[in-house]
Amino acid sequence: MSEKPAVLIIGGLGYIGRFLALHIQKNNLASEVRIVDKVLPQLAWLAPEFDEACSKEKFMQADASKEQSLSRIFDRADGKQWDYVFNCGGETRYSQEDEVYKVRSLALSVAVGKEAARRGVKVFVELSTGMVYKPDSQPSKEGDKTKPWSKIAVFKLQAEEQLSKIEGLNLVIVRLAHVYGDYTSQYIGTALTLARVYQHLQEELKWLWTKDLRVNTVHITDVTRALFDIADWYVVKKKADWDVKTMGRIPIFNVVDKGQTTQGTMAEIVGQVFGIETGFQGQLISTFARMNMDSVVDDVNDEVLGPWAELLEDAGITRPGPLTPFMEKELLKDTDLSMDGSRLEKVVGFSYKKPKITKELVQETIDSYARIGWWPVAK
């Protein structure tokens, strides 16, 4: 490819989609970019640095899970096809009904995958999750057994399987650890918000289970670099060093930093950043929690949501963004998210610029919340 690729990002205003658009814009990697999302930019909590990357010239509002939207999404003014299509779409909230994931994740992936195949798109990158793996004592590699342990993962794995069967689709699957970084509202965002509440209450923050439970992480800027590098590897480098015999027909890559983050890592960092005591509940309470997960989670949420609302009110924050200390039952499972990311380094030649989560990176994340007006800064 002598000229830069034309790039289509489905779910382009989601957390990963917007940062991918920013990475492409900052490094001038594409000849054209289209961002498709069913949410309008005004409602997507976009920080100012995304103004150009997610500008209205690049944005198209459409629901990619609906067949009638596909021609509008994929047609270009010059009649050519998109070179790289990234599917960052899908339902990211936990604990929804199965039907929600079926329509918003599975049906969406299959619909855009079929369309990409029909049009001969050069590479279709499907985002998936490391929660599809069967937890093991060793970090999971791409060819290891799967046994999805969240609803999101159940339907993401079904999407992977159905996409793999689409004739003529140039598919790559990317499985992610817990993604964190500026403006993150998911796993790490919840932990930080919870810590802020306990700092305010001047109480010890105690985690369930043990300090050894693995909650592997990866920084958003490494994720977006990896996604684009993988697409380049597929198209420009023509899948160099991919061995179908040992690795399988469809390229799959884990994207996870090298830190092997555990709950102990997180407890230590959070303790340092917030100046609070952190610890673990111990065997007895953890066993009770395992048997009575619903009531335990409800109790924790009852305890923290009121003080969080007070903190926001005292700080004069009326639009707190997507941050909440609300704990999701699915995320509180005693299940390891533990992945081996070495294939990406060996095959694609990728190197992580943020190889492990640190106190400084967590502080940067909190600073981003304060910058955008979501964070009740400690007085």
Side-chain angles (χ1 to χ4, degrees):
M1 281 171 65
S2 52
E3 55 182 87
K4 290 170 185 170
V7 178
L8 174 63
I9 308 174
I10 311 275
L13 293 185
Y15 185 64
I16 294 168
R18 68 182 65 180
F19 271 98
L20 178 58
L22 186 64
H23 172 64
I24 291 168
Q25 178 240 322
K26 271 186 174 168
N27 298 285
N28 195 15
L29 298 172
S31 58
E32 186 186 341
V33 176
R34 178 177 294 167
I35 292 164
V36 175
D37 209 294
K38 59 180 194 302
V39 174
L40 284 167
Q42 300 87 304
L43 303 173
W45 306 106
L46 286 175
E49 61 261 43
F50 297 100
D51 284 353
E52 195 185 328
C54 302
S55 67
K56 63 174 187 293
E57 292 75 36
K58 295 174 184 170
F59 175 73
M60 174 185 286
Q61 187 184 24
D63 182 348
S65 65
K66 297 202 169 14
E67 200 122 323
Q68 62 270 30
S69 307
L70 292 173
S71 57
R72 197 162 66 87
I73 290 169
F74 277 83
D75 285 349
R76 292 175 62 200
D78 61 7
K80 292 181 183 170
Q81 301 300 346
W82 298 101
D83 299 303
Y84 298 1
V85 175
F86 295 93
N87 180 24
C88 305
E91 183 54 72
T92 54
R93 293 173 303 167
Y94 290 91
S95 316
Q96 305 294 305
E97 297 294 323
D98 285 8
E99 204 44 49
V100 172
Y101 298 111
K102 252 184 212 149
V103 173
R104 294 194 186 153
S105 293
L106 178 57
L108 173 120
S109 292
V110 174
V112 291
K114 282 182 174 165
E115 191 67 16
R118 198 173 70 75
R119 291 170 178 258
V121 165
K122 288 176 182 150
V123 64
F124 180 87
V125 182
E126 170 75 3
L127 269 59
S128 189
T129 168
M131 292 180 196
V132 299
Y133 291 113
K134 184 174 193 276
D136 192 16
S137 55
Q138 292 301 312
S140 300
K141 293 187 166 169
E142 288 83 351
D144 287 353
K145 282 199 176 77
T146 53
K147 188 188 178 186
W149 49 273
S150 73
K151 276 194 188 181
I152 287 176
V154 167
F155 289 96
K156 272 294 176 191
L157 187 60
Q158 287 181 24
E160 288 186 21
E161 287 160 355
Q162 291 196 27
L163 288 168
S164 303
K165 293 177 186 149
I166 295 173
E167 204 63 43
L169 180 62
N170 295 315
L171 173 66
V172 183
I173 292 162
V174 174
R175 293 174 179 159
L176 300 168
H178 286 304
V179 182
Y180 74 98
D182 287 6
Y183 316 112
T184 182
S185 63
Q186 292 225 300
Y187 178 75
I188 301 286
T190 304
L192 297 179
T193 314
L194 212 51
R196 178 68 186 91
V197 170
Y198 279 87
Q199 181 190 42
H200 168 65
L201 297 172
Q202 298 180 336
E203 288 176 16
E204 182 181 6
L205 172 54
K206 282 190 163 186
W207 265 263
L208 277 174
W209 327 125
T210 67
K211 69 179 190 337
D212 300 320
L213 185 73
R214 288 165 294 179
V215 288
N216 284 187
T217 50
V218 61
H219 195 277
I220 183 65
T221 55
D222 277 336
V223 171
T224 55
R225 284 174 50 245
L227 289 173
F228 205 87
D229 288 6
I230 287 166
D232 266 352
W233 164 83
Y234 193 101
V235 176
V236 182
K237 296 184 181 167
K238 303 192 170 14
K239 294 193 278 188
D241 301 323
W242 186 262
D243 180 27
V244 174
K245 268 203 195 74
T246 56
M247 300 177 183
R249 187 174 62 84
I250 306 287
I252 300 176
F253 292 102
N254 288 340
V255 179
V256 52
D257 67 27
K258 300 152 89 73
Q260 283 300 326
T261 311
T262 61
Q263 285 203 139
T265 319
M266 288 308 301
E268 194 177 323
I269 290 174
V270 159
Q272 289 172 354
V273 169
F274 289 91
I276 57 174
E277 292 289 317
T278 60
F280 292 85
Q281 290 289 10
Q283 201 56 49
L284 192 66
I285 291 182
S286 290
T287 304
F288 174 80
R290 199 175 281 115
M291 317 291 273
N292 304 278
M293 204 59 189
D294 284 358
S295 66
V296 169
V297 176
D298 288 345
D299 288 350
V300 173
N301 285 332
D302 285 348
E303 207 174 284
V304 296
L305 289 173
W308 176 245
E310 283 164 29
L311 276 168
L312 294 175
E313 195 179 342
D314 291 349
I317 295 170
T318 51
R319 296 186 75 232
L323 285 184
T324 171
F326 183 86
M327 295 300 274
E328 289 288 359
K329 199 167 73 229
E330 283 191 297
L331 272 182
L332 275 177
K333 284 189 175 158
D334 183 10
T335 316
D336 284 302
L337 178 65
S338 173
M339 300 159 71
D340 178 321
S342 56
R343 175 185 281 183
L344 178 65
E345 296 178 280
K346 283 188 196 122
V347 175
V348 178
F350 183 80
S351 62
Y352 290 88
K353 288 188 177 168
K354 292 173 178 153
K356 63 177 197 186
I357 193 167
T358 61
K359 181 186 166 189
E360 291 71 27
L361 289 171
V362 166
Q363 187 58 56
E364 277 178 22
T365 302
I366 294 167
D367 293 345
S368 76
Y369 299 155
R371 228 178 18 248
I372 200 170
W374 296 348
W375 193 252
V377 179
K379 295 191 169 85

